[in-house]
Amino acid sequence: MFGLARVIASILFFAGFTFAGASPGMAQGRMPDTIDPAKHYLFYMHGGWPEEHGQSRPHPRYGKRYEYDEILTAFRAKGLVVIGEVREGRVRPPDYAESVADGVKRLLAAGVPPGNITVGGHSKGGMMTLIVSSQLKNPKINFVNLAGCGAGDRFGRQFQRIARRIGPDLRGRFLSMFESNDEISGSCDAAINQAKESVFLELVLKTGEGTRPVLFAEPGVD
């Protein structure tokens, strides 16, 4: 997961970033007390596994723990002000997305240009980036969705329902990434194709390492 974070941080040039010096670390990535409009801000949401199991417990299928703190550290090393936390319990995506949207609104109210704001997430967190977009309806904000659009059974049905419900409200500059052999996640076309005033880039990873080598997507986004 740590190597993936470095890849994602590099791809965030999609958002037009020119990175400055690294921002001071913040405990678990809380909203900063002082907002500097000149900085670039990233809200990053993890997948579903840590909600009930935390970061320390290895995933039974992959034998790896969810290195969320390391991911946030890698982003901060690129100069981003990172806002994120380990969610507890099975949170409802619309509710959590609303809290993230409120944080984005706070940045905008403080004078941060929308192009300096990115909302990103993996799996369940990726799905929530779309919901945040539908709530903000701002075409200049950046969104990075990592394996967050369902293609397999349950996750696929949930994604299709969400796409029908929020697709017309989507606005923003979207980057989607998923592994070509992923059995659960796939293209975000069904949602993004309905978006207005938006830019959409989708990258399909071909690692050759089999099904979901690092982008393991957890169902349960209702």
Side-chain angles (χ1 to χ4, degrees):
M1 296 294 291
F2 184 66
L4 176 63
R6 291 196 296 267
V7 172
I8 300 164
S10 298
I11 291 174
L12 285 176
F13 278 104
F14 160 80
F17 290 154
T18 302
F19 294 116
S23 304
M26 293 174 288
Q28 202 50 249
R30 294 175 295 185
M31 284 288 293
D33 294 328
T34 302
I35 297 173
D36 183 350
K39 290 188 177 296
H40 295 271
Y41 295 81
L42 170 67
F43 294 81
Y44 186 75
M45 298 173 284
H46 58 69
W49 175 259
E51 285 186 359
E52 298 185 73
H53 306 286
Q55 298 187 75
S56 300
R57 180 178 173 182
H59 193 281
R61 179 172 180 177
Y62 304 98
K64 298 180 180 180
R65 68 181 185 86
Y66 204 110
E67 299 177 354
Y68 186 61
D69 286 339
E70 289 85 347
I71 291 172
L72 300 190
T73 297
F75 285 132
R76 290 193 187 102
K78 293 294 182 179
L80 295 165
V81 178
V82 182
I83 302 162
E85 63 180 346
V86 176
R87 306 183 302 271
E88 295 183 358
R90 292 178 63 86
V91 306
R92 292 188 66 255
D95 295 339
Y96 194 82
E98 184 175 1
S99 71
V100 173
D102 287 343
V104 173
K105 292 174 183 177
R106 178 180 165 187
L107 295 180
L108 294 171
V112 178
N116 285 16
I117 302 171
T118 297
V119 178
H122 162 241
S123 191
K124 183 175 182 176
M127 179 78 77
M128 288 193 287
T129 66
L130 299 180
I131 300 175
V132 174
S133 169
S134 72
Q135 294 173 347
L136 292 171
K137 299 181 180 64
N138 189 317
K140 296 182 179 180
I141 294 175
N142 310 295
F143 297 91
V144 179
N145 185 315
L146 305 172
C149 294
D153 297 337
R154 181 185 173 193
F155 198 28
R157 292 193 297 271
Q158 290 170 329
F159 169 62
Q160 292 297 329
R161 289 199 300 271
I162 290 175
R164 289 193 295 270
R165 185 168 69 245
I166 70 172
D169 293 325
L170 293 175
R171 305 285 190 281
R173 304 178 70 236
F174 297 93
L175 170 63
S176 166
M177 294 173 59
F178 64 94
E179 162 62 38
S180 62
N181 290 332
D182 196 325
E183 296 174 348
I184 291 180
S185 300
S187 175
C188 293
D189 280 350
I192 304 297
N193 284 346
Q194 303 178 65
K196 302 174 183 177
E197 303 176 77
S198 299
V199 177
F200 179 40
L201 172 64
E202 187 161 76
L203 303 178
V204 182
L205 305 180
K206 298 182 179 180
T207 66
E209 298 181 15
T211 303
R212 295 180 287 160
V214 290
L215 295 180
F216 50 84
E218 306 84 349
V221 297
D222 278 342

